[in-house]
C-alpha cells in the first residue's frame, strides 16, 4: 500500500517539470494513469486531463485530452485557472455489500489526488481525481462555504481519436434507442446518451464513458459531438424535455461537488465486470435492508397490453409465478379499471394466497408528461406518496413501478430521489420505467431494484423494426447499458407478441443470465413457460437474478457474448450468437476453483430455432466444451459443485 502511494507521489513530482504536467495519478495496480496538463505550459490558463492504459507493458493513450472547467453564473472557472497545489495522494480503500447486481462484495479502491485552482478573482475550484484498477473518475468541487449560483455550462469534453471504434445510442429521453457501431469511416455527429463504449485503434484498450452519483445538486448530462466529430462535450438537458418544464441549468449552493465523471477502462472483460459506477456513489442511506428482496416477476403486459384490466389474466400470471417459483407478479397499467370477476383488492387477495407478492404500476403524472394513462399524480408529491404507500403497504404490495419521467433536469432528479426516499420509509421497492440510465443510486438507495432505460422486449409490441436488429442489440447490451446498472429488458420470451422475434429459444433462455436486473420481469405468457421441456423450465425456476460474481468469458459487441455469473457455489453461463451464421464456441472452465468438480447441465440450440439440445457432464477448471450455436442462437448452462 505504501509503495502505491509513493509511486503516485513520485509521478506527481516528476510531472511538474514535463510539458506543463502538474499531477499524475496512477491506479493501485499501475495499469491506469491520469495526468493533468496546462494547455499554455505554465501555472495559469486552461487545463486538460489525459488518460493512459498499460496493457502488459504496452502503453495506450486512450483519451489524449479531456477538457475541464465550469461556467458559473457569477464567473468563469475555465480560461484563467491558476494552479495552487496538488494535495498529497490518498488511498481510497473501502469494501461494501450490494444486495443485487453483478457482484455481492464490492471494492472501492483507488488513489486520489485533489488539485486546487483559483480563478482571476481568487475564487476556488478543486478537481478531485481518482485512478482505479478499472478506470478513472473525476469531479469538480467548489469548497467555499456560502453562495448560491447557476451553472451555465460544464466544459468537460472528451477528445476521442477518429480511429477509435465506438458504440453509442442517440440521445432520447427514455433511453430506448439502438446502439450504433461507428469506426473511422463512419462517425456521426449528434447528441448521445450514456453509457458510450470505445475501443482504441490498437485494440488494446476498451473504455466506457458515464457519470455517477448524480444528486439533487445537479442534472443529468449527455454527450454531444455536434460541433466537432472527435470531441464529445457534456451538455445539459434540452429545455424542451419534460414538456419544457423545469430549468436546464442546475442551481447549486456552496459548498458543492459535481457528479463523478466516470471512465471505466481496461480489457473488455474488465469493463463488463466493473462496479465503478456504484463504487464512487454515496453509500446506502437505508439502515435496515432486510426487506429488500431481489427476485423474478411474472408480467402480463407483453402478451396482453390490457392484461391488468382483466382480473382473470392477473390471476393466471399469479399462478405462473407460483408454478415457476418466482416471488413476484406485476400489475401494470389499468389496474384501477380492473374487471371481469374482481377488482384490485380481490386480485391482491388471490396473489398473496398463492404465496406471491404483488408489484404495481404508476404514471409519474404531473404536467411533465403527455401520457394520460391512470392512475396519475399519486406519486407526484410527498403527500400523494405517503397516502398511496400507506394503502399499498396495508394491502400487501412489495413495490412500485413508476413510469414516464421524460427529463433529466435537476427538478426531475429531485423527483426520482424523493420517490426512493419516501418508498424506503414504507419499505417499498422501486422500479423506474421510461427513465434515466442508472447513475449509482442502487448503492445509495438499494430499494431501487431496476431501471428500464433500454430498448427491450416491449418493443416487439411497438414496431416491426425491432425484430431483425434484436439479436445484435442483445449482444451489445452486456457491454454497454447493463455494465452501469440493472436493466429491465423484460427478457426470455418464446411465443410472439405483436411482432415476431427471430432469436432461437436457447438465445432467449440465455438472456436470463446475460441480463442483470434486481427484479427480472419475465415477459412471456404462461403457456410460453408451461410448454417448455422440463430442463429449460427447471432452469428458469432456479436461475438467480442477483449475483455474487460476474465474468465475461468471450464476446464482442454486436456479434456474440458468453458470460458466467456465480450465486453461492453455483455458476450459471449464458451465451448468444447475434450473427447470421452458425458458430461453434469453446467454453473454458478455468474460472472455476481448483480441486472442485461440477455437474454441468448445458442447454443449447437443437436442430432448429425452437428446439433445445441438452447435455450433462462432469467438468473441472481444466475442462472445455464445444457448443454449437445456430444463427441468432444461444445456450444456457448451470454448474453445481459435486462434494
Amino acid at each position: 500500500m505504501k509503495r502505491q502511494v509513493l509511486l503516485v507521489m513520485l509521478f506527481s513530482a516528476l510531472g511538474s517539470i514535463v510539458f506543463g504536467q502538474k499531477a499524475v495519478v496512477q491506479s493501485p495496480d499501475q495499469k491506469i494513469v491520469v495526468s493533468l496538463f496546462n494547455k499554455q505550459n505554465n501555472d495559469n490558463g486552461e487545463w486538460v486531463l489525459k488518460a493512459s492504459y498499460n496493457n502488459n507493458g504496452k502503453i495506450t493513450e486512450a483519451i489524449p485530452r479531456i477538457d475541464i472547467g465550469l461556467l458559473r453564473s457569477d464567473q468563469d472557472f475555465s480560461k484563467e485557472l491558476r494552479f495552487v497545489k496538488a494535495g498529497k495522494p490518498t488511498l481510497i480503500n473501502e469494501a461494501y455489500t450490494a444486495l443485487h447486481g453483478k457482484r455481492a462484495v464490492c471494492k472501492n479502491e483507488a488513489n486520489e489526488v485533489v488539485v486546487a485552482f483559483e480563478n482571476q478573482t481568487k475564487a476556488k475550484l478543486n478537481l478531485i481525481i481518482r485512478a482505479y484498477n478499472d478506470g478513472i473518475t473525476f469531479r469538480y468541487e467548489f469548497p467555499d462555504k456560502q453562495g448560491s449560483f447557476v451553472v451555465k455550462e460544464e466544459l468537460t469534453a472528451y477528445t476521442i481519436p477518429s480511429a477509435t471504434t465506438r458504440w453509442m445510442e442517440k440521445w432520447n429521453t427514455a433511453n430506448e434507442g439502438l446502439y450504433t457501431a461507428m469506426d473511422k469511416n463512419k462517425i456521426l455527429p449528434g447528441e448521445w446518451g450514456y453509457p458510450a463504449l470505445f475501443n482504441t485503434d490498437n485494440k488494446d484498450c476498451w473504455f466506457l464513458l458515464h457519470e455517477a452519483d448524480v444528486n439533487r445538486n445537479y442534472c443529468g448530462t449527455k454527450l454531444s459531438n455536434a460541433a466537432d466529430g472527435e470531441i464529445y462535450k457534456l451538455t445539459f438537458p434540452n429545455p424542451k424535455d419534460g414538456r419544457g418544464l423545469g430549468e436546464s441549468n442546475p442551481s447549486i449552493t456552496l459548498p458543492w461537488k459535481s457528479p463523478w465523471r466516470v471512465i471505466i477502462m481496461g480489457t473488455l472483460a474488465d469493463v463488463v465486470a466493473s462496479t465503478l459506477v456504484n463504487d464512487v456513489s454515496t453509500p446506502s442511506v437505508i439502515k435496515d435492508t432486510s426487506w429488500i428482496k431481489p427476485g423474478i416477476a411474472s408480467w402480463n403486459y407483453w402478451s396482453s397490453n390490457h392484461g391488468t384490466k382483466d382480473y382473470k389474466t392477473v390471476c393466471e400470471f399469479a399462478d405462473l409465478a407460483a408454478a415457476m417459483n418466482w416471488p413476484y407478479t406485476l400489475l401494470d397499467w389499468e389496474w384501477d379499471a380492473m374487471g371481469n370477476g374482481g377488482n384490485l383488492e380481490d386480485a391482491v387477495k388471490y396473489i398473496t394466497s398463492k404465496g406471491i407478492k404483488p408489484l404495481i404500476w404508476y404514471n409519474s403524472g404531473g404536467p411533465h408528461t403527455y401520457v394520460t394513462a391512470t392512475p396519475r399524480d399519486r406519486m407526484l408529491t410527498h403527500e400523494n406518496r405517503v397516502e398511496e404507500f400507506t394503502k399499498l403497504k396495508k394491502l400487501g404490495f412489495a413495490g412500485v413501478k413508476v413510469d414516464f419521467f421524460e427529463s433529466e433536469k435537476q427538478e426531475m432528479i429531485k423527483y426520482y430521489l424523493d420517490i426512493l426516499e419516501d418508498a424506503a420509509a414504507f419499505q417499498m421497492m422501486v422500479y423506474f420505467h421510461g427513465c434515466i440510465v442508472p447513475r449509482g443510486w442502487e448503492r445509495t438507495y438499494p430499494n431501487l431494484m431496476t431501471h428500464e432505460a433500454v430498448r427491450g422486449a416491449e418493443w416487439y409490441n411497438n414496431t416491426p423494426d425491432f425484430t431483425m436488429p434484436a439479436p445484435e442489440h442483445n449482444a451489445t447490451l452486456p457491454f454497454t447499458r447493463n455494465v452501469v446498472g440493472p436493466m429491465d429488458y423484460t427478457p426470455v420470451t418464446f411465443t410472439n407478441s405483436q411482432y415476431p422475434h427471430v432469436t432461437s429459444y436457447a438465445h432467449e433462455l440465455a438472456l436470463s443470465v446475460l441480463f442483470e436486473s434486481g427484479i427480472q420481469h419475465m415477459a412471456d405468457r404462461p403457456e410460453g413457460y408451461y410448454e417448455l421441456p422440463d430442463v429449460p423450465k427447471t432452469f428458469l425456476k432456479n436461475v438467480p437474478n442477483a449475483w455474487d460474481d460476474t465474468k465475461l468469458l468471450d464476446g464482442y459487441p454486436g456479434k456474440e457474448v458468453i458470460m458466467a455469473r456465480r450465486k453461492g457455489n453455483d455458476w450459471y453461463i449464458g451465451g448468444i450468437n447475434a450473427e447470421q451464421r452458425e458458430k461453434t464456441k469453446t467454453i473454458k472452465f478455468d474460472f472455476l476453483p481448483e480441486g472442485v468438480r461440477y455437474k454441468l447441465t448445458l442447454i443449447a440450440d437443437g436442430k432448429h430455432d425452437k428446439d433445445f439440445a441438452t447435455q450433462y457432464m462432469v467438468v473441472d477448471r481444466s475442462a472445455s466444451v464445444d457448443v454449437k450455436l445456430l444463427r441468432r442462437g444461444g445456450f444456457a448452462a448451470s454448474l453445481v459443485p459435486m462434494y
Side-chain angles (χ1 to χ4, degrees):
M1 189 180 298
K2 287 181 180 177
R3 179 173 177 267
Q4 293 168 355
V5 175
L6 287 170
L7 274 169
V8 178
M9 293 175 71
L10 175 62
F11 269 84
S12 297
L14 291 174
S16 63
I17 59 172
V18 181
F19 304 113
Q21 184 172 293
K22 287 295 180 182
V24 174
V25 190
Q26 190 176 40
S27 62
D29 66 3
Q30 304 173 38
K31 287 186 176 181
I32 292 175
V33 175
V34 55
S35 310
L36 176 70
F37 291 85
N38 179 267
K39 288 169 66 174
Q40 288 77 30
N41 199 21
N42 59 37
D43 286 344
N44 193 35
E46 297 175 270
W47 297 84
V48 297
L49 298 172
K50 180 175 76 173
S52 301
Y53 175 67
N54 183 339
N55 185 4
N56 296 317
K58 188 175 179 181
I59 307 297
T60 298
E61 194 174 85
I63 310 179
R65 173 173 158 175
I66 306 169
D67 290 271
I68 61 171
L70 295 163
L71 297 180
R72 215 167 66 183
S73 52
D74 61 326
Q75 51 193 306
D76 187 315
F77 291 86
S78 64
K79 289 188 173 59
E80 295 293 336
L81 283 180
R82 185 177 71 83
F83 177 86
V84 177
K85 66 175 182 176
K88 291 182 179 180
T90 302
L91 181 64
I92 307 296
N93 193 358
E94 172 198 17
Y96 67 96
T97 300
L99 297 181
H100 52 90
K102 66 179 79 170
R103 186 169 298 107
V105 179
C106 303
K107 281 187 175 181
N108 180 24
E109 184 181 11
N111 289 317
E112 177 184 280
V113 169
V114 179
V115 181
F117 298 100
E118 287 182 348
N119 69 3
Q120 289 177 302
T121 70
K122 305 293 186 182
K124 296 177 175 59
L125 172 71
N126 293 340
L127 184 68
I128 304 169
I129 307 169
R130 289 183 183 176
Y132 287 80
N133 291 344
D134 58 347
I136 294 162
T137 67
F138 63 95
R139 75 192 317 177
Y140 303 100
E141 178 183 34
F142 290 129
D144 290 333
K145 302 302 182 186
Q146 60 183 2
S148 295
F149 308 98
V150 172
V151 179
K152 304 298 290 183
E153 188 176 6
E154 180 172 336
L155 300 173
T156 306
Y158 303 94
T159 295
I160 310 294
S162 59
T164 303
T165 308
R166 59 208 72 196
W167 290 261
M168 307 186 76
E169 179 189 341
K170 282 282 190 182
W171 164 253
N172 62 96
T173 55
N175 296 285
E176 292 182 38
L178 295 171
Y179 273 81
T180 300
M182 294 173 277
D183 59 22
K184 59 187 176 184
N185 299 314
K186 177 191 175 185
I187 298 178
L188 302 176
E191 292 187 333
W192 307 92
Y194 293 117
L197 178 67
F198 300 84
N199 186 206
T200 55
D201 186 33
N202 61 9
K203 309 305 177 190
D204 283 348
C205 178
W206 294 80
F207 59 94
L208 192 79
L209 299 183
H210 197 46
E211 64 182 6
D213 208 28
V214 180
N215 58 33
R216 293 178 176 87
N217 298 319
Y218 215 59
C219 58
T221 68
K222 55 185 179 294
L223 300 166
S224 175
N225 68 334
D228 185 321
E230 292 191 8
I231 300 176
Y232 292 89
K233 183 185 177 301
L234 268 63
T235 59
F236 293 149
N238 189 313
K240 295 180 181 178
D241 292 348
R243 297 183 68 187
L245 296 177
E247 296 296 326
S248 293
N249 296 91
S251 297
I252 64 172
T253 299
L254 307 192
W256 171 86
K257 292 179 181 177
S258 76
W260 287 103
R261 306 298 162 218
V262 176
I263 308 165
I264 299 172
M265 183 178 290
T267 65
L268 193 53
D270 293 333
V271 170
V272 168
S274 176
T275 57
L276 187 53
V277 172
N278 281 359
D279 296 345
V280 298
S281 293
T282 302
S284 175
V285 297
I286 302 175
K287 290 186 172 64
D288 174 19
T289 59
S290 60
W291 52 275
I292 301 171
K293 304 289 186 183
I296 295 176
S298 63
W299 183 52
N300 64 46
Y301 176 85
W302 186 83
S303 56
S304 177
N305 292 171
H306 301 280
T308 304
K309 201 173 182 179
D310 189 304
Y311 172 76
K312 289 186 171 58
T313 299
V314 170
C315 293
E316 289 171 2
F317 277 81
D319 293 339
L320 170 65
M324 295 298 292
N325 196 34
W326 300 338
Y328 302 110
T329 190
L330 173 66
L331 307 187
D332 217 291
W333 76 311
E334 297 183 319
W335 56 261
D336 54 337
M338 192 183 303
N340 194 24
N343 59 19
L344 177 67
E345 288 75 15
D346 298 321
V348 172
K349 287 178 184 177
Y350 185 88
I351 292 165
T352 54
S353 76
K354 299 295 179 178
I356 304 302
K357 293 180 180 180
L359 310 168
I360 192 165
W361 177 95
Y362 286 88
N363 187 339
S364 66
H368 62 266
T369 174
Y370 287 103
V371 180
T372 58
T374 60
R376 259 180 80 95
D377 302 340
R378 299 193 194 181
M379 292 288 117
L380 197 56
T381 69
H382 172 70
E383 291 73 23
N384 294 152
R385 293 188 291 273
V386 167
E387 181 180 357
E388 201 66 17
F389 289 147
T390 300
K391 293 177 186 174
L392 294 178
K393 190 71 176 174
K394 186 175 180 180
L395 284 169
F397 281 91
V400 294
K401 169 183 177 180
V402 189
D403 205 346
F404 304 121
F405 288 89
E406 302 183 23
S407 166
E408 296 183 6
K409 296 174 182 176
Q410 185 176 22
E411 185 176 275
M412 195 59 65
I413 299 298
K414 291 177 180 177
Y415 185 25
Y416 280 114
L417 299 180
D418 289 347
I419 290 173
L420 290 171
E421 286 192 354
D422 286 343
F426 286 85
Q427 297 191 342
M428 302 291 290
M429 297 182 293
V430 177
Y431 160 27
F432 290 135
H433 195 81
C435 63
I436 194 171
V437 168
R439 298 305 208 272
W441 297 341
E442 296 77 26
R443 183 179 180 193
T444 314
Y445 302 95
N447 62 320
L448 174 54
M449 308 306 289
T450 192
H451 304 235
E452 185 191 26
V454 65
R455 179 164 292 207
E458 184 181 355
W459 278 82
Y460 288 117
N461 276 289
N462 299 342
T463 170
D465 298 337
F466 187 55
T467 294
M468 295 313 296
E472 179 180 342
H473 184 59
N474 293 350
T476 303
L477 294 173
F479 305 106
T480 51
R481 164 64 182 83
N482 214 182
V483 170
V484 301
M487 176 185 79
D488 199 50
Y489 177 102
T490 58
V492 191
T493 56
F494 304 101
T495 67
N496 286 326
S497 185
Q498 265 79 323
Y499 303 100
H501 48 55
V502 294
T503 50
S504 76
Y505 275 25
H507 180 120
E508 289 294 316
L509 188 68
L511 301 184
S512 66
V513 177
L514 290 178
F515 293 166
E516 179 271 311
S517 179
I519 293 180
Q520 186 79 281
H521 293 84
M522 297 295 187
D524 208 347
R525 49 181 54 83
E527 55 266 35
Y529 301 111
Y530 292 149
E531 294 173 6
L532 289 172
D534 286 343
V535 178
K537 188 191 301 181
T538 300
F539 185 91
L540 287 175
K541 289 180 179 181
N542 296 325
V543 66
N545 74 304
W547 303 97
D548 294 331
D549 200 6
T550 294
K551 294 181 182 293
L552 176 69
L553 304 185
D554 195 6
Y556 189 86
K559 296 185 181 298
E560 62 194 20
V561 56
I562 301 175
M563 189 182 295
R565 298 191 192 265
R566 179 176 62 83
K567 184 67 173 181
N569 295 318
D570 299 343
W571 285 89
Y572 293 80
I573 305 175
I576 57 173
N577 173 22
E579 296 189 284
Q580 302 287 342
R581 60 183 179 89
E582 294 184 357
K583 297 179 182 179
T584 297
K585 301 297 297 183
T586 300
I587 308 173
K588 295 180 179 179
F589 298 100
D590 53 2
F591 59 90
L592 296 174
E594 218 37 276
V596 183
R597 300 167 77 219
Y598 287 78
K599 180 181 179 181
L600 169 69
T601 302
L602 176 63
I603 311 165
D605 288 316
K607 294 179 181 179
H608 54 78
D609 287 356
K610 294 182 173 62
D611 188 34
F612 293 101
T614 301
Q615 300 179 63
Y616 304 95
M617 61 193 80
V618 176
V619 300
D620 60 19
R621 66 174 285 119
S622 66
S624 63
V625 174
D626 289 340
V627 184
K628 181 181 176 182
L629 289 81
L630 296 177
R631 69 191 192 284
R632 308 183 299 270
F635 72 90
S638 64
L639 290 152
V640 179
M642 300 172 65
Y643 294 116

